[in-house]
Every structure is written in C-alpha cells, then in structure tokens.
Amino acid sequence: MSRDDLDAAVELPRPPARVVSLVPSLTEAIATSCPQLLVGATDWCTHPADLDVARVRGTKNPHLAAIADLAPDLVVANKEENRELDVRRLRERGITVWVTDIEDVPSALTSAALAWCGVVMEAGMSVDIAACSASCATAMTPTSCATT
C-alpha cells in the first residue's frame, strides 16, 4: 500500500485509468503527460486551454456527487488547495484520493514518483525508485516507471 504526502494510506489495485484533479497545476501536468487518464477537473483548471473534461466546480467547493458520478480510480488533491473535509467526504464515499503537499520542485517530483510508481508496485511490478523518479519527472506514466 502506498502513502500520500500526508501519510494517508492509498490503495490502488491497478494503475488508474480515470483521474479527477482538484488542483490546477496537477491538472495541467496530467493533461500534458497522460491526457487519456483525466476525466474531470475543477472550473479553475484552465490549462491546457483546450482541456475538455467534466467540470466539478471549484477547489474549495468541489461537487462531490459529480466527482463520484465520474467513477474515478483516483482523485488528486493538495493540502493547501483543497479542504480536508472534502477529501474526507470523498474517501467516505470509497473514492481513492492522493493528497500532495508540494513545497518545491523536488518535492513535486517525489510526490509524482511515489504516487505513480507506488501504483505500479501495488500492481505487482518491481520498481527502481531512482529510475522511477527520473522518468516521472518527464512523463508521469505508470509504465514508464516499471522495470519488470
């Protein structure tokens, strides 16, 4: 089982195929690197400009039922951007949430590596964490982190 940046247990039995992002910067990163995964984002997620996904209101007032209706494998949130109450309510609905706590670029890359590569490890694949961190820095895809 992986742990997010706030040390909460995050269990994903397989790499996510449906992701909802509640953080504009994470939305842009996922839309750029893995656009096929992104199914929902907040109204404030405006990049890339042609982003065409379901909208789930704002970072401070996400529409929890709309998020649940999207049936995400993973919701990505942020300690500073999103309310703990909303994260808790999503988890109470059985929705898997990864919360980031980004302070600088290295911590962002570490969080991405732990999130994506942790999923790969849970799926039973071995992972070289150093290689994973390097590959996640350029392309956050679970398969790019796998070694075998």
Side-chain angles (χ1 to χ4, degrees):
M1 180 168 306
S2 297
R3 294 206 162 286
D4 70 12
D5 291 356
L6 301 184
D7 203 35
V10 179
E11 185 172 351
L12 281 166
R14 64 192 162 287
R18 299 178 60 78
V19 177
V20 172
S21 176
L22 301 180
V23 185
S25 58
L26 295 175
T27 300
E28 184 174 6
I30 296 166
T32 301
S33 61
C34 305
Q36 72 281 7
L37 300 181
L38 201 59
V39 297
T42 73
D43 297 344
W44 298 104
C45 298
T46 59
H47 295 285
D50 62 346
L51 184 63
D52 185 24
V53 297
R55 298 305 176 144
V56 296
R57 288 200 314 230
T59 60
K60 306 287 191 233
N61 67 335
H63 191 296
L64 304 180
I67 294 169
D69 288 346
L70 292 171
D73 300 314
L74 180 66
V75 172
V76 292
N78 177 266
K79 176 185 171 186
E80 297 296 323
E81 190 76 31
N82 307 109
R83 299 182 316 162
E84 185 276 332
L85 174 65
D86 295 320
V87 169
R88 186 173 68 243
R89 286 180 175 164
L90 287 168
R91 287 177 173 154
E92 287 169 354
R93 290 174 181 247
I95 297 170
T96 301
V97 182
W98 183 277
V99 180
T100 63
D101 185 12
I102 307 300
E103 296 179 10
D104 51 28
V105 172
S107 66
L109 297 177
T110 298
S111 182
L114 291 173
W116 295 109
C117 297
V119 168
V120 171
M121 287 189 289
E122 285 180 21
M125 304 167 91
S126 63
V127 173
D128 175 338
I129 292 296
C132 178
S133 294
S135 65
C136 287
T138 56
M140 292 190 319
T141 61
T143 55
S144 70
C145 299
T147 58
T148 55

